[in-house]
Amino acid sequence: MARLAVVGVGRIGGEVAYLATSLGIVDELVLYDCDPGLLRAQVLDLEHTGLQIPISTDVSAIRQSDICIFSAGMPRNPSVKTRADLLETNLSATRDCISLLKGFSGILVTVTNPMDANNFVLWKKTGISRERCIGFGGQLDSARFGLALRNRGITGFPFVFGEHGEHQVPYFSGLASAVDIRQREEILTELRGASMEVIKGKGGTVFGPALHLAHLTRIILKDAQELIACSAVLEGEYGLSGCSLGVPARVGRNGIRKIEEWDLDEWERKKMDEAGRFVKDLCERAVS
């Protein structure tokens, strides 16, 4: 039996709960939200699907869950320029929910933006090992990178390092052909603004994040040890520490099994160092 907890059951949290159950990835749900009306509505909506799956709203059951998707807080909207701008707003939600995770022995997946900083805070304040704290965002950024490449007729394995935000680092070294600096910067600019058109048109991103989160849940529960882009608390990897940042990692039943250190070219190394400095500053502010 696999139990999934979702803390914050709004747009993305609710959709992940639905996908994980409808796709047969989990057998039980534990749902929590600070808005009791929304929580009740999401529970009823799931029950009305006819899927016969136990749904608990008992917060103590979170601690016995295999995976917890942490998506509490405010989402981006058209007035929020970058994910980092949500730091102060969403830190209060993160801090309010830390007590729910005391004694949690499963895998924590952080979604709340700014994701990298919140993943670091949750690791620092809950006592959960860094291997069991996975920040979500790199899978989605990598999918967007793949779309940008296909639209330009460029082939290769799309992978994004760095911050889930303005300081993301597309990994051009893994592509089949070289991409010059001008085109790299053009693609990076496109990736930075990829979500905003969706946010302006429909209020927020849903399909992409939810599908990749469901896939990540499956990877963990099946102990697939699949290589994905995710945010991990770093202790010297890529020459960085004191932050959580997007890197390639093998993920399985026990969380992050291995962080892989790939060679970066000069452009990528510079961008990665910039991402590290920026996110480390956010993390220091968040835990101070």
Side-chain angles (χ1 to χ4, degrees):
M1 300 290 285
R3 177 185 288 175
L4 173 68
V6 181
V7 175
V9 295
R11 185 183 294 116
I12 292 176
E15 186 71 13
V16 173
Y18 167 69
L19 276 179
T21 53
S22 62
L23 295 175
I25 298 172
V26 300
D27 307 294
E28 299 179 30
L29 288 174
V30 182
L31 305 182
Y32 170 79
D33 200 280
C34 65
D35 181 342
L38 173 62
L39 178 61
R40 176 61 177 162
Q42 294 288 52
V43 170
L44 284 173
D45 206 9
L46 284 163
E47 290 178 339
H48 293 170
T49 65
L51 293 168
Q52 297 183 16
I53 184 168
I55 303 173
S56 173
T57 56
D58 180 357
V59 294
S60 67
I62 294 172
R63 299 182 180 90
Q64 285 75 50
S65 299
D66 298 287
I67 300 173
C68 177
I69 304 291
F70 190 93
S71 53
M74 294 293 294
R76 284 182 75 190
N77 60 56
S79 67
V80 179
K81 185 177 179 181
T82 72
R83 295 173 181 87
D85 293 334
L86 289 168
L87 180 66
E88 297 303 325
T89 299
N90 282 342
L91 264 180
S92 60
T94 299
R95 289 168 177 156
D96 288 346
C97 294
I98 283 172
S99 62
L100 303 176
L101 296 167
K102 294 294 184 181
F104 174 64
S105 59
I107 308 302
L108 178 64
V109 177
T110 306
V111 180
T112 302
N113 281 314
M115 175 275 294
D116 302 283
N118 276 301
N119 194 55
F120 187 84
V121 171
L122 288 166
W123 164 72
K124 195 81 170 176
K125 299 297 185 180
T126 62
I128 299 172
S129 67
R130 72 170 184 142
E131 293 80 11
R132 295 191 291 115
C133 291
I134 301 174
F136 169 81
Q139 294 166 270
L140 180 60
D141 292 332
S142 297
R144 290 169 174 160
F145 183 31
L147 176 61
L149 293 174
R150 290 193 300 274
N151 287 341
R152 291 169 171 83
I154 302 172
T155 60
F157 180 56
F159 210 97
V160 175
F161 289 61
E163 183 208 11
H164 179 50
E166 298 297 292
H167 293 274
Q168 57 189 283
V169 185
Y171 185 64
F172 289 97
S173 294
L175 303 181
S177 57
V179 179
D180 62 38
I181 299 301
R182 180 197 62 78
Q183 194 167 36
R184 287 185 181 201
E185 293 290 348
E186 175 188 277
I187 291 171
L188 178 55
T189 299
E190 181 178 320
L191 296 180
R192 285 170 172 163
S195 63
M196 189 50 68
E197 186 175 358
V198 179
I199 292 168
K200 288 179 177 178
K202 58 180 278 187
T205 57
V206 180
F207 303 148
L211 183 63
H212 287 292
L213 281 163
H215 181 55
L216 177 56
T217 300
R218 190 193 298 274
I219 289 172
I220 293 168
L221 292 174
K222 288 188 173 296
D223 196 23
Q225 299 185 40
E226 190 170 318
L227 181 67
I228 65 166
C230 66
S231 189
V233 176
L234 301 182
E235 295 181 347
E237 294 87 358
Y238 292 93
L240 301 169
S241 59
C243 65
S244 184
L245 206 63
V247 291
R250 295 277 173 190
V251 174
R253 194 67 178 80
N254 296 315
I256 296 173
R257 300 292 297 269
K258 180 184 179 182
I259 295 173
E260 297 199 356
E261 296 197 58
W262 296 353
D263 292 334
L264 305 178
D265 66 21
E266 184 179 355
W267 184 89
E268 293 157 349
R269 181 73 261 178
K270 179 183 178 182
K271 297 294 186 185
M272 189 67 168
D273 288 342
E274 290 172 355
R277 287 192 295 271
F278 180 79
V279 173
K280 185 173 182 178
D281 178 66
L282 287 183
C283 292
E284 288 174 351
R285 287 163 52 193
V287 299
S288 63

